[in-house]
Structures are given as structure tokens and as C-alpha cells.
């Protein structure tokens, strides 16, 4: 897992960018919208997996950081009139800083305190989104102005599609490199055994704080991407359901592997769309469906679909 | 041969709830020696070791390594100062390969700047680390299993990997927590030879926390005996073998295991 | 009168706080014996409320029988979750933090399963309250008025806690359970059936959550989403106690209940949502080992 990633992994990224430019003219707008949202989820899930699958920590606040990134991007665009390419990194950076501040006290004593603090943070952040009316529009929400990238106005999913493809390709590249870096090795060591990590001179707490911060940065970037495909945001969009959805993607697809996470994003991301056509009371059933999927896959398929598939292939050889 | 003290524990007191796990414990480890810390089960041997690793914070006392105060250091700093350890209940990065485990062990030896710099860009640093790790694996006999998953090794080899990982940190002092427990006789003999070789040839200082007497008596230069958290004896192997307190507290109750 | 409102706020804070404390205790005994934080605790509480509603409304049982129904139902839920799911995950062997992550994710899954199942019942379409536990004119303490039902709620909560403390202190099983949480390996060596003990802990913890659900359901209208709010407060209560002390949970629960009422009184009722987060952060920054416990940092090796 160390050294440089195989060439084919990087070719996949180029293919993704190429598709980003080639596909839009030939595909109906609705499908592009679906693909766009899947790319946003992918960014969020990749960040969650860095924390969960690679450093073995658990946190709940990714929807909140997603929200911080999204509000940040929109507010920077609106108030300071920044172009998207400045506003989005700005929003993501705010998310990362908030993540850093939450992580520092939460990683001091027990491993599990990070999960508990972020669980509470998710609720607290929604309160702030809902009540800081001057900035977020409060319960009425915020209309997202048209974003401009290099002078181009982003008015349709068709135009946004290549932009998101490039951002996602960059995030995938970054993820491939991070898991192969010194820091990646530190994360894996902490995940497998904190004692070995400490006894090997790794500052375990620093690794946890850093992993959480990077993870929050990913969520913030995903939030910025979300601002591109929506025209309106309010606090309701950043609740616990989204967090559980992202969690399901990572767990069902396969923790600690990039292809696994991407498979999870596609399957879980499309599930509501498919179910809606079959099941009219989707609203009623979705919690039960996600709960059962999450529980069963973590119990009987610990490495997710990807792990099960690669395991079966290896077994046959 | 001039003898100098590399590591010193003074008046260590560790308390869990109302229980004094370690009480007024002192010991001195000479540079370049194999020092055994022995005692019956539950005597507090591992607790002493966990204090040294800074996993446990003593109520009072001092621990000095090469003139530096260990109590002021956080766990990862202890390793960077030159103290490595193994674990009684084998701790490994189980999801990683054998080579990766050793590379983790070597992390205190590789430059810490630019943590996000990916492997290929670290170039020579990474190549050197891999080469050294392979050399170490060769020495402990694990090189054939270089790419196996750590969790898939058998018990004896897992213990050996634990040791290899600790050696990768290039320690000046190495704490071994019951390295012989659960090993077969042939494996113990091989371990014997390896430890002696490391100390005589490599200038390492070893503290052996152990209750398999076979290993201790044949390799240790000096023995400290612990019972109920207190030091009951301290001296050379011959002296310890004759000590009536030790015979009563330890050998008497455990004579068969002592072999 | 501000002081009167203050006293009234404190009194009602103590009442709800005793319920948060029950759930916090349920979460902490699970954590102490299995190292798992039960993120489904709130939904267990909510399930307790709806089980009682089913017993009282659909089966027309008296309250005492409804309590029995909840106790049995929650016990079955708890032990089947532990034996059917958690034991399978833990049984795969040690995989460092990943095992812990998997166990926690399973409890998140449980929370959604319970929410999903409860939504299928027609009671849950609107917020509903359980019938009053106890009727009668309010009792006056000075100028502070207390509902008789509230006194009954606190009474039952305190009774359950006393029974629990007595169980851990005086019964053989209780002592064995404490041993398991302190040193599982040694416990299994001396012949304590550690696995069965863990299952029993989950059963007991579910019962506690269920009883808390009945008590709070008699006071406030409940929806399937209600558990998430309560569990946050209980987490904060448990952290105040250092996440390992049962008296700490009681102290934390009452502090949280009162704090929540005072925030509602002096700031806004919406700001109650941030109280747990602020409390958790404050404790983690100022005193991460909890308000009650002395300083002891021990990692098992």
C-alpha cells in the first residue's frame, strides 16, 4: 500500500475527467443531476473513509462540516462577491478549522469521545445554521446565487458536470497519495493498534486530530460542490439522515478502500431513486432499509461489497 | 570494562484505585547488559514496563534514561529517545503486511517533515527504510514472509515480528515483555542466541520481563525480582538462584514451570 | 417573579434530569462492560415509550402491567441485538480500532431500525403522550408547584437506580459483572461466563432505557425522532461523570436537566439544542476525566 499508486489508478482519474467533458451533450439533464449528486456524495464519503477506514476513528459530524463548507461557499460568494474557485476552498478551509477545534479536546482521553462530541456538534451546528439569521437566512434558508468559474456562469447541471468531475478527480488523486504517505502509514498504524503506534514513536493524538481535520476538509469541499448543484439551502439539508447515508456508503461499499467507497456511493446513492419508483411510501421505509443494510453489512460483510468481491476472487485463484 | 548506568527507576509508586500495584520500586540497568525483571504472575512486571512506555502514569517516583526524565515525556517521545518495547499479548498492525509492520516500527527513524509527501516522492528515504527493514527481517528469519498479512502468521512468528518491529526503531534500550511465553523450546533457543547477539554485537541494552526461567537464567547478567509490587531481590543469576526469599515467593510456588 | 421561575425551572430540571440519568446509566454500563458506545440508546428509550403505548392503548393494560410488558420486550430486544449482531462482530477477533468502529456502526444501524419499525405503527404519525402515570392536584413546596406525576417519575427513577446499585453491590451476579468490566480475561479465568454476562448487560441496559422511555413519555409528547434529542443529553450527562461512573451519570443527568431548563428560561428554547454540545466541550476541555473521578490514565495492554 506504500510507494506510488499503480499507473492504472491514475489513468482512471484521467478517464473520469474525460467523461466529465465528453458526456454532457449526450445525456439528459436529469441523469446529469443524479451523477452530479453522486459526485458530491463521493467527495463526502472519501473524507469519511479517511477517518473511519484508514485511521479507525468514528465521528458523526460530517454532515455538519458539509453544511459549514456549503454555507461558507455561498456566503463568501454572496457577501464578498468571491468567484467559486476562491469561495469553495474558503468554505472548505472554514470547515477544516472548525473540525480542528472540535478534534483537539475530543481526542484527549478516550477514543470514543470524538464520536460523542461530534454527535453533539452535528446538532449544535444545525442550531447555528437555523438561528444565525443574518448569515444563513435562518429557517428561511439561503438562495444560492449563480456561481461563476473563470467567467463562465454555472446555470445548469450540464455546465456543472465537468467542474465536479475535475474536483472529484483531484480529490481521488489526493486520497491515493495521502494513504501512501508517511501520514497514511501513521493512520493505518493507529487504526490497527494504538499501542504499536505509540511504541513506534507515532504521536497518536496528533494523527487523530490531523485525520479528523483532513476529513472535515473533504466534507467542506463536498459542501462547496453541493452549492454548485443547488439553488437553495437550509438547515434541514444537513441533518443526521445525510450522515447515516454517507456512513452506509462507506460501510456497505467497503471501508478503507477507494473503489469500495465509490461502489458504495453509487449503490446507496441510487437506492432511493430506484426504490421511489417501486415503493410509494419510500419516506416511511427508508430508515428501516438503511438501518438493516448498515447493521447486516457491518456484521456479515466486514469489508463491504468490495472486500467480499475481492475476497471471493482471491479465493477462486 | 567501564560500567555505566543507562536507566534508573527510583521509588516508583503506582496505584490503581486503592490497590498499590507498584510500591517503592527501584532498579538500575547497566549499559550493554541483559537485565531480567522477573516475578510471579500479577507481581507488577508489566505495570513497571507500562510506566516506562508512559501508558501508565505513576503516583510518584522517578525514571531516568541516559540523564533524561522519562516522566516528562509522552509515549511517542519515549521511543524517539531510544527506548523500544514488545508486547506480552502480541500487538501488531494486523491488517498490514509483515514488511509494513517493520516500516511502522522504523517511523521514528525516518524524517518527520512533510507528513503528506507520498511514498514515491520520498524516494530515497523510503527505499532506504525498505532496505533496512528487509535486512532486519533477514536477521530475524522473517524475510520469506515479507508480504504476508501480519494476522496470518503463526504465533511464534507473530512474536518474532513484534520483536523485529521494536528493533526497527533502532533502540538503545529494548524492553521485552515475556518474549518466550508460548514459544516452543527450539524457538526459545533461537531467541536466546538472537538476544545475546544483539547485546554483545550491537551494543543494545535489554530488559527482559519474563517468567520462563530457562531463558532468564541462561542470558541475564543481572536479575531483579518483583513480588506483590515490591522488589524482593536484586543481583546476579547465581545469587538469585540461592536467595531464600526468591525461592519462597517465586521458585517455590512455580518450581515446575521454572524447569 | 424571576426567582420563582428559577426554582420551578430547577425542580423540573431535576425531574427530566432523573430520566436522562437513567438512560446515561444504561449507556455507561454497556460501555464499561463492552467498550461500545450505544448510539441506539435514544431509540431504545423511544421504543420503550411506544411499547408502553401499545400495552396501554391497544391491549388496554393497567400501568403496572405495561411496565412489565416494556421490561420483557426491551430485555428481548437487548439480548437479541447483543447475541445476534455484536457477538458476531466481536467474535471475528481483534482488528484494532476497526472492530470498535464496526460495533459502533451496528448501534447506529440499530437506531435506524428501531426508528424505521416504529414509524410503521399508526401511533407514531403525530406526537403523542402516554396517559398520566398518576393523577391528582399539584403539590406545593413553598411557592413551587409540582405535579404529582412528576414526583412519581422521580420516585420510580430513584427506585430503579437504588435497585441497580444494590444489584451491583450485593448480589453475586452484580459483583461478577463489575469484575468483567474491570478485567475480562481474569474474570473468564475464574469461571465467570463473560459472554453471557455481556448479553445480560445489554438486556439490562435496554430495560433501563425502556423504563426511562415510559417515564418521559408520560410527561412529554413523543415522536420516533425523539430518542436522538434525549440521547444527546444523556451522553453529555455520562461524560460529566467521566463515562465510567454511575453516580456521575446521576449528577450529570440532573445538571443537564437543570441546565437545559435554565437555558430555555434565560436564552431561548431553541438554544437547548446546543446545551449538550457546549457541556460536552466544556468538560472535555476543562476536565476530560469527568467531574467526579480522580486522575487516572490507564490503558490496558
Amino acid at each position: 500500500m506504500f510507494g506510488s499508486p499503480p499507473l492504472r489508478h491514475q489513468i482512471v482519474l484521467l478517464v473520469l475527467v474525460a467523461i466529465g467533458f465528453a458526456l454532457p451533450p449526450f445525456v439528459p439533464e436529469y441523469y446529469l443531476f443524479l451523477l452530479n449528486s453522486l459526485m458530491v456524495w463521493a467527495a463526502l464519503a472519501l473524507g469519511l473513509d479517511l477517518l473511519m477506514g484508514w485511521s479507525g476513528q468514528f465521528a458523526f459530524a460530517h454532515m455538519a462540516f458539509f453544511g459549514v463548507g456549503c454555507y461558507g461557499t455561498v456566503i463568501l460568494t454572496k457577501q464578498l462577491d468571491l468567484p467559486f474557485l476562491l469561495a469553495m476552498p474558503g468554505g472548505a478551509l472554514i470547515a477544516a478549522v472548525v473540525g480542528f477545534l472540535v478534534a483537539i479536546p475530543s481526542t484527549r482521553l478516550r477514543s470514543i469521545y470524538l464520536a460523542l462530541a461530534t454527535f453533539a456538534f452535528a446538532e449544535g451546528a444545525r442550531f447555528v445554521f437555523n438561528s444565525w439569521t443574518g448569515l444563513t437566512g435562518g429557517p428561511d434558508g439561503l438562495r444560492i446565487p449563480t456561481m461563476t468559474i473563470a467567467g463562465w456562469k454555472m446555470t445548469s447541471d450540464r455546465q456543472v458536470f465537468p467542474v465536479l468531475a475535475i474536483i472529484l478527480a483531484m480529490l481521488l488523486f489526493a486520497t491515493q497519495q495521502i494513504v501512501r504517505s508517511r501520514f497514511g502509514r501513521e493512520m493505518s498504524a493507529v487504526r490497527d493498534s494504538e499501542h504499536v503506534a505509540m511504541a513506534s514513536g507515532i504521536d497518536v493524538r496528533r494523527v487523530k486530530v490531523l485525520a479528523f481535520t483532513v476529513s472535515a476538509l473533504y466534507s467542506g469541499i463536498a459542501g462547496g460542490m453541493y452549492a454548485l448543484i443547488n439553488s437553495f439551502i437550509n438547515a434541514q439539508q444537513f441533518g443526521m439522515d445525510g450522515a447515516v447515508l454517507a456512513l452506509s456508503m462507506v460501510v456497505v461499499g467497503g471501508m478503507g478502500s477507494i473503489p469500495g467507497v465509490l461502489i458504495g456511493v453509487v449503490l446507496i446513492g441510487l437506492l432511493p431513486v430506484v426504490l421511489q419508483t417501486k415503493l410509494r411510501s419510500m419516506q416511511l421505509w427508508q430508515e428501516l432499509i438503511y438501518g438493516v443494510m448498515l447493521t447486516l453489512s457491518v456484521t456479515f460483510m466486514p469489508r463491504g461489497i468490495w472486500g467480499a468481491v475481492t475476497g471471493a476472487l482471491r479465493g477462486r485463484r | 570494562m567501564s560500567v555505566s548506568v543507562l536507566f534508573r527507576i527510583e521509588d516508583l509508586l503506582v496505584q490503581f484505585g486503592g490497590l498499590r500495584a507498584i510500591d517503592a520500586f527501584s532498579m538500575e540497568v547497566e549499559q550493554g547488559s541483559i537485565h531480567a525483571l522477573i516475578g510471579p504472575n500479577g507481581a507488577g512486571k508489566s505495570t513497571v514496563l507500562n510506566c516506562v512506555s508512559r501508558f501508565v502514569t505513576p503516583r510518584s517516583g522517578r525514571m531516568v534514561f541516559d540523564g533524561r526524565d522519562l516522566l516528562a515525556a509522552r509515549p511517542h517521545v519515549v521511543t524517539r529517545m531510544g527506548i523500544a518495547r514488545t508486547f506480552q499479548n502480541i500487538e501488531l498492525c494486523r491488517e498490514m503486511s509483515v514488511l509494513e509492520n517493520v516500516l511502522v516500527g522504523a517511523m521514528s527513524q525516518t524524517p518527520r517533515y512533510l507528513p503528506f509527501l507520498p511514498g514515491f516522492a520520498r524516494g530515497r528515504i523510503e527505499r532506504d527504510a525498505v532496505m533496512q527493514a528487509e535486512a532486519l527481517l533477514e536477521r530475524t528469519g522473517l524475510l520469506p514472509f515479507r508480504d504476508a498479512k501480519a494476522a496470518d502468521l503463526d504465533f511464534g512468528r507473530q512474536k518474532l515480528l513484534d520483536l523485529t518491529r521494536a528493533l526497527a526503531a533502532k533502540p538503545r534500550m529494548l524492553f521485552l515483555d515475556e518474549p518466550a511465553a508460548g514459544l516452543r523450546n527450539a524457538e526459545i533457543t533461537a531467541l536466546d542466541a538472537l538476544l545475546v547477539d544483539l547485546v554483545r554485537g550491537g551494543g543494545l541494552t535489554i530488559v527482559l520481563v519474563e517468567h520462563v526461567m530457562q531463558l532468564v537464567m541462561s542470558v541475564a547478567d543481572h536479575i531483579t525480582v518483583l513480588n506483590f509490587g515490591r522488589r524482593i531481590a536484586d543481583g546476579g543469576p547465581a545469587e538469585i538462584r540461592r536467595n531464600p526469599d526468591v525461592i519462597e515467593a517465586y521458585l517455590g510456588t512455580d518450581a515446575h514451570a521454572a524447569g | 417573579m424571576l426567582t420563582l421561575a428559577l426554582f420551578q425551572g430547577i425542580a423540573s430540571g431535576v425531574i427530566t434530569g432523573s430520566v436522562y440519568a437513567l438512560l446515561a446509566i444504561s449507556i455507561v454500563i454497556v460501555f464499561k462492560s463492552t467498550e461500545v458506545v450505544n448510539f441506539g440508546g435514544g431509540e431504545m428509550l423511544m421504543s420503550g415509550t411506544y411499547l408502553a403505548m401499545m400495552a396501554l392503548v391497544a391491549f388496554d393494560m393497567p400501568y403496572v402491567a405495561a411496565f412489565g410488558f416494556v421490561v420483557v420486550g426491551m430485555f428481548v430486544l437487548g439480548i437479541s441485538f447483543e447475541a445476534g449482531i455484536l457477538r458476531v462482530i466481536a467474535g471475528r477477533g481483534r482488528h484494532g480500532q476497526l472492530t470498535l468502529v464496526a460495533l459502533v456502526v451496528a448501534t447506529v444501524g440499530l437506531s435506524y431500525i428501531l426508528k424505521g419499525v416504529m414509524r410503521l405503527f399508526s401511533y407514531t404519525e403525530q406526537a403523542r403522550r402516554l396517559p398520566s402515570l398518576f393523577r391528582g392536584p399539584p403539590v406545593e413546596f413553598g411557592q413551587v408547584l409540582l405535579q404529582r406525576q412528576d414526583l412519581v417519575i422521580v420516585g420510580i427513577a430513584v427506585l430503579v437506580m437504588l435497585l441497580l446499585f444494590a444489584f451491583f453491590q450485593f448480589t453475586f451476579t452484580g459483583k461478577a459483572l463489575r469484575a468483567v468490566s474491570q478485567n475480562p480475561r481474569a474474570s473468564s479465568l475464574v469461571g465467570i461466563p463473560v459472554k453471557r454476562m455481556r448479553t445480560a448487560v445489554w438486556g439490562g441496559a435496554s430495560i433501563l432505557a425502556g423504563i426511562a422511555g415510559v417515564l418521559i413519555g408520560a410527561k412529554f409528547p413523543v415522536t420516533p425522532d425523539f430518542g436522538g434529542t434525549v440521547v444527546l443529553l444523556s451522553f453529555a450527562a455520562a461524560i460529566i461523570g467521566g463515562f465510567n461512573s454511575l453516580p456521575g451519570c446521576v449528577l450529570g443527568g440532573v445538571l443537564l436537566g437543570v441546565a437545559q431548563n435554565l437555558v430555555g428560561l434565560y436564552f431561548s428554547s431553541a438554544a437547548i439544542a446546543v446545551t449538550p454540545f457546549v457541556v460536552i466541550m466544556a468538560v472535555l476541555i476543562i476536565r476530560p476525566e469527568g467531574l467526579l473521578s480522580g486522575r487516572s490514565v490507564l490503558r490496558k495492554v
Side-chain angles (χ1 to χ4, degrees), chain A:
Chain A
M1 197 29 89
F2 302 111
S4 45
L7 194 60
R8 62 196 155 87
H9 290 190
Q10 288 167 24
I11 291 174
V12 170
L13 303 184
L14 292 179
V15 171
L16 175 63
V17 174
I19 290 176
F21 283 98
L23 202 59
F26 308 107
V27 177
E29 184 96 19
Y30 172 70
Y31 289 107
L32 287 174
F33 166 73
L34 279 185
L35 289 172
N36 279 341
S37 7
L38 287 186
M39 287 197 279
V40 173
W41 281 111
L44 185 68
L46 283 173
L48 182 60
D49 190 44
L50 274 181
L51 186 72
M52 242 169 59
W54 290 94
S55 58
Q57 305 303 304
F58 190 76
F60 257 110
H62 284 73
M63 263 339 250
F65 294 120
F66 182 75
V68 172
C70 188
Y71 274 111
T73 305
V74 173
I75 291 165
L76 288 176
T77 311
K78 263 194 152 156
Q79 312 260 349
L80 302 183
D81 220 11
L82 289 182
F84 179 77
L85 290 182
L86 286 179
M88 191 269 278
L93 206 62
I94 297 171
V97 170
V98 176
F100 178 73
L101 293 177
V102 173
I104 284 183
S106 316
T107 48
R108 267 171 79 192
L109 200 59
R110 291 178 205 283
S111 244
I112 206 68
Y113 277 179
L114 185 67
L116 291 168
T118 52
F119 188 66
F121 174 75
E123 198 65 27
R126 270 210 305 170
F127 166 76
V128 174
F129 296 153
N130 233 330
S131 49
W132 198 343
T133 314
L135 213 52
T136 66
D140 298 336
L142 215 52
R143 226 183 51 75
I144 301 178
T146 307
M147 303 280 179
T148 48
I149 294 172
W152 287 42
K153 285 202 178 308
M154 296 286 129
T155 51
S156 71
D157 283 304
R158 219 175 280 284
Q159 287 163 311
V160 169
F161 188 76
V163 177
L164 294 191
I166 292 172
I167 297 177
L168 181 61
M170 285 164 63
L171 281 179
L172 282 167
F173 179 76
T175 313
Q176 287 175 358
Q177 301 300 338
I178 286 174
V179 300
R180 284 175 170 77
S181 67
R182 180 188 169 87
F183 178 62
R185 189 175 294 160
E186 287 176 339
M187 285 197 297
S188 310
V190 169
R191 173 196 65 198
D192 282 5
S193 166
E194 287 193 14
H195 290 124
V196 167
M198 280 188 281
S200 303
I202 295 171
D203 186 344
V204 170
R205 210 182 134 205
R206 176 176 156 277
V207 172
K208 288 181 185 173
V209 171
L210 211 52
F212 188 71
T213 309
V214 171
S215 186
L217 180 73
Y218 272 64
S219 310
I221 292 174
M225 294 162 77
Y226 189 70
L228 269 187
I229 63 170
N230 270 278
S231 53
F232 171 80
I233 49 169
N234 71 6
Q236 300 314 314
Q237 294 164 30
F238 307 108
M240 207 46 94
D241 287 344
V244 172
L245 203 61
L247 185 64
S248 308
M249 290 169 174
V250 173
V251 168
V252 174
M255 276 191 274
S257 92
I258 298 172
V261 171
L262 296 180
I263 290 172
V265 168
V266 173
L267 288 181
I268 305 286
L270 291 182
L271 190 69
V273 184
V274 177
L275 284 181
Q276 249 156 13
T277 59
K278 305 265 179 246
L279 204 69
R280 265 190 307 156
S281 49
M282 175 63 200
Q283 247 1 66
L284 195 63
W285 286 89
Q286 73 177 9
E287 283 168 332
L288 186 55
I289 291 170
Y290 285 124
V292 169
M293 261 185 349
L294 205 52
T295 310
L296 289 186
S297 75
V298 87
T299 309
F300 301 106
M301 216 165 45
R303 315 233 96 226
I305 292 173
W306 180 249
V309 169
T310 51
L313 287 179
R314 209 174 300 135
R316 203 179 313 155
R317 254 188 294 156

Side-chain angles (χ1 to χ4, degrees), chain B residues 153-171:
Chain B
L153 294 180
D154 65 33
F155 181 80
R157 294 199 174 102
Q158 289 194 355
K159 290 213 97 154
L160 216 46
L161 178 55
D162 196 10
L163 174 65
T164 316
R165 190 221 75 237
L167 287 173
K170 292 189 184 153

